[in-house]
Amino acid sequence: GENVEQHPSTLSVQEGDSAVIKCTYSDSASNYFPWYKQELGKRPQLIIDIRSNVGEKKDQRIAVTLNKTAKHFSLHITETQPEDSAVYFCAARRYNFNKFYFGSGTKLNVKP
Amino acid sequence: NAGVTQTPKFRVLKTGQSMTLLCAQDMNHEYMYWYRQDPGMGLRLIHYSVGEGTTAKGEVPDGYNVSRLKKQNFLLGLESAAPSQTSVYFCASSYPSAQETQYFGPGTRLLVL
């Protein structure tokens, strides 16, 4: 089955700096890659996603890049703010398959 | 639209007791999932369903049973609770399309003493 690895497990940045979280996947048939943000005590919520026919997608301060050849995708957050502090999960979903495979999560701490 | 809802929000059980967690969604999603989340371990899939009347095992199914009698509801049962089942349980739902996300419920915090 699919295996998704996520790094780093914790990340501390100064407010205003950029943050990058990386995930690798093993199944070349995976073609959908969402990113979720989970604030303390809350549910995971989708913040951005990318499909395999696209190399990069941006939404204001958040961007995701996908390298299908190397089988890795990354979340980029620019101009970080304290409210960006949360746990971020990447996931992969295979074409014509029912399950999502999650990374182990990255705890991002943005210091004011 | 309420989205995905879960009942109850919090529960304390004694070892050996049974309970059922209810998940409901009003988005007409075919697929529904149950995950557990333990500190530092991310989300682990317990069981899932691809439609009314169908269920399948996920990564950590032991000690749990599920039922999907109606499309909008997905029930997770613990027949004989154990302390190792202390966790936060999230339900999620999605469309069948491979390139659509899943939507999570608010979670149920379960403590087994």
Side-chain angles (χ1 to χ4, degrees), chain A residues 31-32 34 36 38 41-44 46 51-52 89 93-96 98-100 102 104, chain B residues 4 31 33 35 37 42-43 45 48 50 90 95-102 104-106:
Chain A
N31 66 345
Y32 175 67
Y36 299 89
Q38 186 178 28
K42 301 286 183 65
R43 75 188 82 186
L46 179 75
R51 292 166 176 80
S52 59
F89 291 98
R93 186 177 185 182
R94 182 183 171 181
Y95 165 75
N96 204 28
N98 308 319
K99 293 186 278 189
F100 290 77
F102 286 87
S104 53
Chain B
V4 183
Y31 292 179
Y33 311 81
Y35 295 92
Q37 185 175 38
L43 292 155
L45 182 64
Y48 65 100
V50 299
F90 287 101
Y95 287 115
S97 168
Q99 296 192 331
E100 294 291 338
T101 190
Q102 52 184 209
F104 286 88

Side-chain angles (χ1 to χ4, degrees), chain B:
Chain B
N1 270 1
V4 183
T5 58
Q6 292 182 232
T7 309
K9 289 185 172 58
F10 176 68
R11 184 78 182 267
V12 179
L13 286 180
K14 293 181 180 178
T15 297
Q17 287 185 318
S18 63
M19 77 165 294
T20 300
L21 283 66
L22 172 63
C23 175
Q25 52 93 5
D26 61 3
M27 296 177 282
N28 203 32
H29 286 166
E30 289 291 335
Y31 292 179
M32 297 187 74
Y33 311 81
W34 275 108
Y35 295 92
R36 61 177 289 174
Q37 185 175 38
D38 303 310
M41 295 198 69
L43 292 155
R44 292 187 292 171
L45 182 64
I46 304 171
H47 286 280
Y48 65 100
S49 168
V50 299
E52 184 178 317
T54 70
T55 63
K57 294 180 180 179
E59 184 185 355
V60 288
D62 293 342
Y64 305 95
N65 57 74
V66 287
S67 64
R68 183 102 181 266
L69 299 180
K70 293 183 179 180
K71 185 177 182 180
Q72 62 267 35
N73 296 337
F74 195 28
L75 279 63
L76 178 71
L78 286 74
E79 291 186 346
S80 179
S84 59
Q85 294 178 303
T86 292
S87 189
V88 179
Y89 292 86
F90 287 101
C91 175
S93 68
S94 74
Y95 287 115
S97 168
Q99 296 192 331
E100 294 291 338
T101 190
Q102 52 184 209
Y103 297 86
F104 286 88
T108 295
R109 192 172 297 273
L110 177 65
L111 175 61
V112 182
L113 301 175

Side-chain angles (χ1 to χ4, degrees), chain A residues 67-111:
Chain A
N67 183 325
K68 287 191 294 181
T69 302
K71 289 190 278 189
H72 67 71
F73 56 112
S74 300
L75 177 70
H76 304 253
I77 305 174
T78 59
E79 300 172 17
T80 53
Q81 300 167 4
E83 51 264 38
D84 294 330
S85 295
V87 178
Y88 292 81
F89 291 98
C90 64
R93 186 177 185 182
R94 182 183 171 181
Y95 165 75
N96 204 28
F97 205 63
N98 308 319
K99 293 186 278 189
F100 290 77
Y101 295 88
F102 286 87
S104 53
T106 296
K107 185 174 183 180
L108 175 63
N109 179 36
V110 180
K111 294 177 286 186

